[in-house]
Amino acid sequence: MKIINIKTGLLLLAGGMLTACDLDSMSMSEADTSNFPQTEGDANQVLAAIYQNNNSINAYPQESFLYAAILASDDALGGGGANDKLMQSFDFITNYGTDATKDFYLDRYTGVSRANALINAIDELAMDDSIKKQVKGEALFLRAFYYYELASMYGTGIPLVTKTDGTVDYTNAAGFWGQILQDLYEASTTMPAVKKTDGHVDKYCAEAMLTRAWLFYTGFYGNGEDLSQLVSTTYNPLTSVSLPDGTTLTKDMVKELINDCYTNSGYSLVDEFYNLWAYSNSSTKWDSGNLLKVDDSDVITFKWAENNNAVNPESMFATKFNKLASWSTTIGYGNGYALHFGVRGGQDYDKTYPWGQGWGAGPVNPSVVTDWANADSRDRRLKESIINVANMPGYTYGGASWADFIQETDYYQMKLGAISAQKEDGSYAPVFEQVMYGADGWINDNLMQTGNIHDLVHIRFADVCLMWSEINENAEGMNKVRKRAGLSDVSYSLAALQNERRWELFFEGQRWNDIRRWHIAADALSKQEGVKVYTAGVEGTNTAHNGGYAARYNATAGFFKIPETQILLNEGKVAQNPGYSGADGEYTGY
């Protein structure tokens, strides 16, 4: 029997973190899985708690899979200051500390546990059938999304829990990913065909996530599950997968569902790429001038897709935030990724405006800029995604008053960081949200750290277009995305698709699993060695650590260290990932 705790309108599975085979670490309420949930209202409380797990993860973004995926990819270096060794360790595919990512591990299992409570109870609840299918589908989607991140981060030697009776399975990659795909397939084929605009996921989100998981699993594991097969440079994707319920999922079945999402979902591309990103918001008054123009004929009209809480037609699944973020209690209700990826250094806002301040994670790898310009210098997205810091009004190398910037480059990403704004008196608000949503109602006045509350988008329709092209081997969807970037049509090829995904989804966390599943990771990652960087403002080159990027990838297949406390708690049933048994797996500093 699992004890559950009801607080502040959310159901929280007490001790939902996994500790060996025991999920019952606390007993804080009379409610438990034998008597809760029982009604539609109960089910909605549990569902709210499952979604809330994304805000829990945001309390420690530096430990999350999304954070690791951005920094480990060939698009970004580690960055931060001399003491931000976790940032840099992700970049070098190494570990820093005994339990570096424990909070992420435990929080994601809490989310899984909450999902299990609802999935295992809902069939017996008295609810309208269409509502029941929608609610169950959302829970299946979220469980699969959480397991997708866990399996991508740590591999599949970790526990797989789908029941509420204390059963814990230890399986292989085929079994673990089979469960992820089965959840997403059931959600895709049973949820009502209704587009949601209230923050909930819908059938089409499930179809998109199914395709993402399918492409990763069938590509990455296409040669087998052994380390040598995972790091092989041979790309040989599977065309069918056996699911835990005994059925077989085929490429054609997945293709049918992504075709439905692409054709019938009602989601669409925003007219201008730059209007997807918070720097184009209506409260930040800045003259884009020639900054984003490819030529003099360009007309730049900023109109952020989320202005004043507008519904972004391209956003399919996102984490939402609000004014209630407090550093000591509810930090997860602010967008911590924007803080971490903000401009580093205690610099005056007029020196970097409109870019806000933060910890300086993820300096852009200069080779990305070169590769992108060489691929097509007319691609508008390059200027709309990356800025040369020389184009900031007074940027100071080294981090200004925090003069310890590590792996700094000449380039800053424009998608994820904090965005500032000018107030009526000419002073600078640390975040544009203070101007857009008013100065009242914030629970914490340290808005530089807690005031970023624009959405963190996990799936957008452009990705659907690109996945549609990839699985159909047809350029139509890819060319829709290219047309928005001002580019002409191209014929389909895997190489063209790979480029398009890299440019369109730059710095959104997809590149890491893309290069792994295409079996091009070691070569791509090596292009980070020898690029120009600054260390505390002094120019130099990015040096290899722990044997180099390719060596670390080949030693780990891109998996990170499982927290050691969880290895011990699982009493010999969970083995540490390859590449972390010796000193070569531990990062000591830049």
Side-chain angles (χ1 to χ4, degrees), residues 150-204:
L150 286 165
S152 295
M153 183 88 156
Y154 302 113
T156 54
I158 57 178
L160 177 67
V161 187
T162 60
K163 304 296 184 183
T164 57
D165 60 2
T167 302
V168 180
D169 294 324
Y170 300 90
T171 183
N172 58 8
F176 207 111
W177 282 94
Q179 185 64 55
I180 293 171
L181 293 169
Q182 181 175 296
D183 282 356
L184 291 168
Y185 184 74
E186 182 178 350
S188 297
T189 54
T190 60
M191 294 170 80
V194 177
K195 177 187 175 184
K196 304 289 284 186
T197 58
D198 58 359
H200 288 249
V201 296
D202 52 34
K203 165 186 173 67
Y204 307 110

Side-chain angles (χ1 to χ4, degrees), residues 246-519:
T247 63
T248 298
L249 183 65
T250 68
K251 180 178 179 180
D252 284 343
M253 294 164 68
V254 177
K255 185 185 298 185
E256 181 179 350
L257 291 169
I258 196 64
N259 288 350
D260 178 55
C261 182
Y262 177 72
T263 305
N264 301 318
S265 68
Y267 293 98
S268 61
L269 299 179
V270 169
D271 288 345
E272 293 287 357
F273 181 79
Y274 52 76
N275 284 329
L276 286 166
W277 315 114
Y279 64 77
S280 66
N281 76 85
S282 59
S283 295
T284 297
K285 310 296 184 183
W286 68 296
D287 180 11
S288 66
N290 294 320
L291 188 60
L292 302 187
K293 289 186 176 182
V294 175
D295 55 51
D296 290 340
S297 66
D298 280 348
V299 177
I300 303 297
T301 304
F302 279 171
K303 189 177 181 182
W304 185 39
E306 296 178 29
N307 268 337
N308 299 302
N309 290 316
V311 174
N312 179 348
E314 191 165 333
S315 175
M316 299 177 67
F317 174 47
T319 300
K320 300 284 186 177
F321 305 100
N322 57 47
K323 288 183 174 183
L324 302 180
S326 169
W327 188 255
S328 60
T329 55
T330 54
I331 185 63
Y333 290 108
N335 186 339
Y337 295 88
L339 171 65
H340 277 260
F341 289 101
V343 175
R344 182 170 181 81
Q347 305 189 46
D348 293 337
Y349 283 96
D350 64 349
K351 305 296 185 185
T352 60
Y353 188 75
W355 315 109
Q357 293 186 15
W359 307 147
V364 175
N365 175 10
S367 69
V368 177
V369 179
T370 302
D371 289 350
W372 202 335
N374 288 340
D376 197 328
S377 60
R378 300 164 301 170
D379 191 339
R380 303 166 59 100
R381 292 168 299 187
L382 175 55
K383 285 189 172 184
E384 295 166 3
S385 301
I386 301 173
I387 184 173
N388 189 318
V389 297
N391 289 324
M392 295 182 184
Y395 183 89
T396 302
Y397 284 96
S401 64
W402 308 342
D404 64 342
F405 204 160
I406 303 297
Q407 293 180 292
E408 179 181 18
T409 70
D410 292 325
Y411 301 101
Y412 173 76
Q413 59 78 29
M414 299 163 63
K415 289 184 175 181
L416 290 187
I419 306 297
S420 60
Q422 278 191 293
K423 303 177 184 179
E424 290 185 2
D425 63 4
S427 63
Y428 292 90
V431 295
F432 76 90
E433 290 94 331
Q434 184 183 19
V435 176
M436 177 170 286
Y437 302 118
D440 296 330
W442 297 90
I443 195 172
N444 189 296
D445 60 4
N446 185 357
L447 295 186
M448 177 262 190
Q449 295 187 359
T450 64
N452 297 287
I453 61 173
H454 50 284
D455 287 1
L456 181 68
V457 179
H458 304 292
I459 304 175
R460 59 187 178 91
F461 189 67
D463 194 4
V464 170
C465 293
L466 295 173
M467 291 190 294
W468 183 92
S469 276
E470 184 170 4
I471 205 165
N472 285 284
E473 298 183 46
N474 183 312
E476 179 188 303
M478 184 170 66
N479 284 330
K480 280 188 178 182
V481 173
R482 287 178 58 82
K483 182 178 180 180
R484 177 171 64 181
L487 302 174
S488 58
D489 287 355
V490 295
S491 299
Y492 180 83
S493 69
L494 179 59
L497 184 281
Q498 288 172 337
N499 268 345
E500 211 58 47
R501 285 189 64 82
R502 189 182 190 188
W503 312 142
E504 176 68 24
L505 303 175
F506 167 79
F507 230 89
E508 296 179 52
Q510 299 309 310
R511 176 69 174 172
W512 177 234
N513 269 2
D514 278 352
I515 60 176
R516 296 169 77 193
R517 68 183 177 89
W518 290 323
H519 293 265

